[in-house]
Amino acid sequence: MVWNSRVAKVAPFRVMHLLEMAQAREASGHDVIHLEVGEPDFPSPEPVMAAGQAALAAGQTRYTPAAGLPALREAIAQHYERHFQAKVDPSRILITPGASGALLLASQLLVEAGDRVLMADPNYPCNRHFMALAGAEVDAVPVGRETGWQLDASLIAAHWRPATRLAMLASPSNPTGHTLSAEALQAVQQAVRQREGHLVVDEIYQGLNYDDAPLSALSLSDDAFVVNSFSKYFGMTGWRLGWLVAPEGAVEPLTRLAQNVFLAASTPAQHAALAAFTPECREILEDRRQILKNRRDVLLAGLSKLGLAPDMPPQGAFYLWLDISRYSRDSQAFCEQLLVEENVAITPGIDFAVQGGEQFVRIAFTTDVARLEDAIERIARFVSRL
């Protein structure tokens, strides 16, 4: 059977193999600590669940407009003004089935066969894959401590080619958790603008900031495409709801794409998401952010004794990107062996990095402190045998 050649460019998630192994071990009676999947152990906030239930009880199950429920687009616009001092016209906001829907729309609008896209390496792999499915070639630019694990203006200038059409950033990033300052983000915007390119900013982990204030590219200019989600900060992973903020001139073609690709996002999920912006929900979400910060600090303290803590603590998201080169240069084998010997599930770096992923792993601090402390003890036993 012959498939579309673009599908061959989409690599599998190696962590899914680890997840299957972990689930099999649990089924056979082992106590597995899950630090591999990017989903905290919190349920969706109660105001969100109540709003979703109320929407279903009221029969709110018919299609919304392709760009989303007007009230939700207005609520998101108010959110940007209230928390980021960014005035965003609600007409520029498109509600999508998860952030994946937003990435799909952006990639289909902005690139085609032969175009090139700049991204940091490591990065969330689906960002690369969406661009590849649109026919573009991704130039994964290695980043490290010297650039704050981010794609900065100097790297954009050094790697931009005649066929480059856009640069994509993520702040906070997955898998490293690092952010861009306002100054660095503004410099990137200027570098892309000078080259008459587009800028896509992944702000999916926005709000999950621990050492700096949350920032949006929309506070600095109106010409970026900004992807966001209700999954991470708002704790609504299974509701599958995200959004895309686009420059005014891009709204009409994006709406046409949405009409044809997915018609509209889930109606009950959109009504539930209206409650995410209430003061009651905000209080819950901020309490959870502090819990995640404490989990991060517990992991950093424990892993530093093993020589595994990152030299730059992540400022956001809920991941640690760990250099395991003192113990192994095969992250897949390292993760599988750790799971088999100590029942701790983490993610191999080859899922995220085109270059050098063999010597990194990602740990998600998505379970409680007692389990994290247990995981540290198990990891300590494991590396002591290597």
Side-chain angles (χ1 to χ4, degrees):
M1 188 68 68
V2 178
W3 309 117
N4 188 322
S5 61
R6 293 176 184 173
V7 176
K9 298 179 180 180
V10 178
F13 256 143
R14 279 82 166 187
V15 71
M16 298 312 295
H17 173 63
L18 268 296
L19 181 59
E20 290 173 7
M21 287 180 60
Q23 291 170 339
R25 293 188 66 76
E26 282 182 312
S28 63
H30 294 278
D31 174 30
V32 176
I33 301 176
H34 288 277
L35 307 178
E36 78 277 38
V37 180
E39 184 175 39
D41 52 342
F42 311 125
S44 294
E46 180 56 38
V48 168
M49 291 194 286
Q53 290 163 351
L56 289 171
Q60 299 283 7
T61 58
R62 302 180 70 84
Y63 294 133
T64 69
L69 197 66
L72 183 56
R73 299 165 77 192
E74 177 65 38
I76 293 171
Q78 292 175 1
H79 171 72
Y80 279 115
E81 184 166 10
R82 184 179 304 116
H83 297 288
F84 303 102
Q85 295 72 54
K87 290 188 178 294
V88 179
D89 192 310
S91 67
R92 294 173 51 206
I93 300 168
L94 290 89
I95 311 300
T96 58
S100 297
L103 286 164
L104 176 61
L105 292 183
S107 62
Q108 292 300 312
L109 179 72
L110 296 175
V111 296
E112 57 190 338
D115 289 344
R116 306 195 75 87
V117 175
L118 290 182
M119 291 186 190
D121 187 24
N123 205 327
Y124 180 55
C126 291
N127 292 344
R128 299 193 302 269
H129 297 157
F130 273 114
M131 296 299 169
L133 284 172
E137 295 291 332
V138 174
D139 292 316
V141 180
V143 296
R145 180 183 176 87
E146 65 281 359
T147 61
W149 292 95
Q150 288 283 356
L151 190 65
D152 65 10
S154 64
L155 290 173
I156 287 172
H159 292 273
W160 197 277
R161 306 188 192 187
T164 305
R165 294 292 173 265
L166 68 85
M168 185 170 184
L169 310 176
S171 181
S173 68
N174 175 13
T176 72
H178 292 295
T179 60
L180 280 158
S181 67
E183 294 76 17
L185 182 53
Q186 200 158 36
V188 166
Q189 289 180 328
Q190 183 62 25
V192 172
R193 194 178 297 122
Q194 287 174 346
R195 290 160 177 80
E196 299 183 346
H198 298 290
L199 179 65
V200 178
V201 185
D202 167 352
E203 296 184 352
I204 292 170
Y205 291 89
Q206 183 187 66
L208 291 175
N209 294 64
Y210 310 120
D211 301 323
D212 54 9
L215 173 70
S216 176
L218 299 168
S219 302
L220 305 175
S221 77
D222 292 330
D223 57 2
F225 291 78
V226 172
V227 175
N228 212 320
S229 173
F230 285 96
S231 290
K232 307 304 182 180
Y233 176 74
F234 295 101
M236 295 177 61
T237 50
W239 298 84
R240 305 311 305 131
L241 202 64
W243 72 87
L244 174 66
V245 184
E248 185 177 353
V251 171
E252 188 277 330
L254 285 168
T255 303
R256 274 191 282 121
L257 282 170
Q259 290 167 348
N260 284 274
V261 173
F262 49 72
L263 191 61
S266 162
T267 297
Q270 291 188 65
H271 283 278
L274 285 168
F277 299 104
T278 62
E280 297 81 8
C281 194
R282 180 79 179 185
E283 184 176 353
I284 293 169
L285 298 175
E286 283 298 295
D287 286 345
R288 292 178 175 183
R289 183 176 66 84
Q290 289 299 322
I291 291 170
L292 287 169
K293 180 179 186 296
N294 184 48
R295 292 178 179 181
R296 178 200 68 163
D297 294 344
V298 166
L299 264 182
L300 287 171
L303 293 172
S304 66
K305 298 174 183 177
L306 307 177
L308 284 174
D311 54 6
M312 287 180 61
Q315 301 107 323
F318 35 71
Y319 308 112
L320 298 183
W321 183 243
L322 307 182
D323 184 345
I324 59 167
S325 58
R326 67 184 295 177
Y327 298 112
S328 173
R329 291 188 179 272
D330 185 340
S331 59
Q332 181 80 25
F334 182 93
C335 291
E336 291 182 7
Q337 190 177 351
L338 174 62
L339 177 60
V340 169
E341 295 185 14
E342 293 291 348
N343 294 302
V344 177
I346 61 177
T347 307
I350 52 175
D351 264 348
F352 304 96
V354 176
Q355 301 180 50
E358 299 85 358
Q359 65 184 51
F360 285 89
V361 297
R362 190 194 74 174
I363 290 184
F365 41 97
T366 49
T367 190
D368 63 53
V369 165
R371 294 290 276 171
L372 292 176
E373 290 175 336
D374 189 359
I376 292 167
E377 292 180 8
R378 297 186 193 190
I379 294 170
R381 283 199 302 267
F382 173 68
V383 297
S384 71
R385 298 192 296 268
L386 296 178

